[in-house]
Structures are given as structure tokens and as C-alpha cells.
Amino acid sequence: DERYDGILTYSLAEQIESSSAEKQLFVLHTSTSHGPTYYSKYPAQFERFTPVCTTVEMAKADREELLNAYDNTILYTDYLIHSVIEELKSVQNRRCCMIFVSDHGESLGENNLYMHGVPMALAPKEQVEIPFIVWSSEGTESIKQLEEVGQYHTFHSVLDFLGIESEIYNPELTVFK
């Protein structure tokens, strides 16, 4: 269903395998947990937490309903991440890696803040602490145990995984050993 981000994972393995390119980079940009219409970002079967908020006026929303709608988007995002990993597992004779990183977090009413966009120096942890998930196929690079990982690790990790040399590559900022 093209209304939902699941369409981004459709035939991913086939696209990878049908290419003759030695190195490939796919960027899937989802909108699943972007407000204010959380309730519209996932298919009906992912509405496990109810009732859900259906208003765009978040400050007027019932807090529990707002959290339920957002939690349903997280459930759907988990499914999407799983789907990408399963697609990549099925790819034969290629090294594969998936890096999932959010561009921002979301405020859901904490300190009367909603969504995101507060300047970094003032932003609450809900807007700046984000997930960073890495999966790589068996036999590829192992992943470092890092105390803190952020968006700034993405670029250097992609360069590292793809074996791309650059003057601006910083080995301290890769997630791979």
C-alpha cells in the first residue's frame, strides 16, 4: 500500500541482486513516526495500542491517545526494520548492511512540547536521543561496542563499510571494528 512506508522495502533483495554494481547504497527515508498525524502512518493491523489520537492539535489531544498512536508507529517501524533485515538476509553472494538512524526524536507533550525542532542547545532528550541500529550479514565487519552513537557516525560508517577512501573519513566515527 503506497500510503505506508512498507512500500520502500518491496523487492529490495531483487533490486540488489539484479544490479551489476559492485557497491550499492539504498537510502530509505520513512515518515512513520513523524507527527502530527501519527494515526495515519501505519496500516490497521499495527494499531495495537488504543484508543488513538486523531487530531492534529496535539496540545488538545488526550495524552494516552497520543502516546498510543505514536507507539503504533514504533511497532510499525520495528516491522519495517525487520523486513529490511529479512530482505538483506536473502541476498546471496553479497555483503549487506543495514543502518537505521532517526533524524530526530519526538516530544509528545513533555514540558508542553510537541514534535521536534527546538534548537539543539535547548532541546529536551526526547528530541535528541535517537535510535541507531546496525545489522550486517554474516561474515562482514563486526560492530564496535560504543558508549554513545549518533547521526555523525552514519557517514563514516557507510564509507567504511563500502570501502570508500576519503580525506574526510574519520575511523573514530565508524561503528565497525
Side-chain angles (χ1 to χ4, degrees):
D1 188 330
E2 64 220 23
R3 292 174 297 169
Y4 307 113
D5 289 335
I7 196 165
L8 298 172
T9 66
Y10 180 74
S11 75
L12 182 59
E14 290 85 8
Q15 291 179 58
I16 293 169
E17 291 176 328
S18 69
S19 174
S20 61
E22 182 182 322
K23 299 175 184 181
Q24 299 175 57
L25 173 66
F26 290 79
V27 177
L28 309 178
H29 183 257
T30 64
S31 67
T32 305
S33 296
H34 284 76
T37 57
Y38 301 116
Y39 68 93
S40 69
K41 304 294 181 116
Y42 52 85
Q45 66 265 34
F46 290 91
E47 192 167 282
R48 302 276 172 83
F49 304 101
T50 59
V52 298
C53 172
T54 57
T55 181
V56 296
E57 296 183 67
M58 295 174 133
K60 294 181 180 178
D62 178 272
R63 175 119 168 103
E64 182 179 339
E65 290 179 1
L66 180 59
L67 293 174
N68 286 342
Y70 185 78
D71 286 348
N72 289 330
T73 70
I74 299 302
L75 181 65
Y76 187 51
T77 299
D78 287 347
Y79 165 78
L80 294 173
I81 292 169
H82 173 79
S83 297
V84 169
I85 291 171
E86 290 303 309
E87 285 282 314
L88 295 178
K89 281 182 179 178
S90 75
V91 172
Q92 300 298 309
N93 303 315
R94 293 195 189 238
R95 296 176 18 199
C96 293
C97 173
M98 184 228 36
I99 299 174
F100 174 86
V101 60
S102 290
D103 52 347
H104 54 76
E106 291 277 295
S107 288
L108 299 171
E110 306 86 9
N111 299 316
N112 209 27
L113 293 173
Y114 294 90
M115 296 180 50
H116 57 276
V118 174
M120 246 341 219
L122 304 172
K125 68 178 181 146
E126 290 82 8
Q127 292 184 24
V128 295
E129 290 181 3
I130 57 170
F132 193 107
I133 301 168
V134 180
W135 174 89
S136 62
S137 55
E138 196 171 315
T140 61
E141 286 83 0
S142 54
I143 299 165
K144 294 178 190 175
Q145 290 297 318
L146 298 170
E147 197 148 317
E148 189 174 308
V149 172
Q151 293 171 335
Y152 43 88
H153 285 86
T154 307
F155 175 77
H156 302 278
S157 298
V158 169
L159 289 181
D160 187 14
F161 189 83
L162 293 175
I164 297 172
E165 295 180 19
S166 171
E167 295 175 5
I168 59 175
Y169 169 70
N170 181 345
E172 297 296 314
L173 294 177
T174 182
V175 298
F176 299 107
K177 289 184 182 176

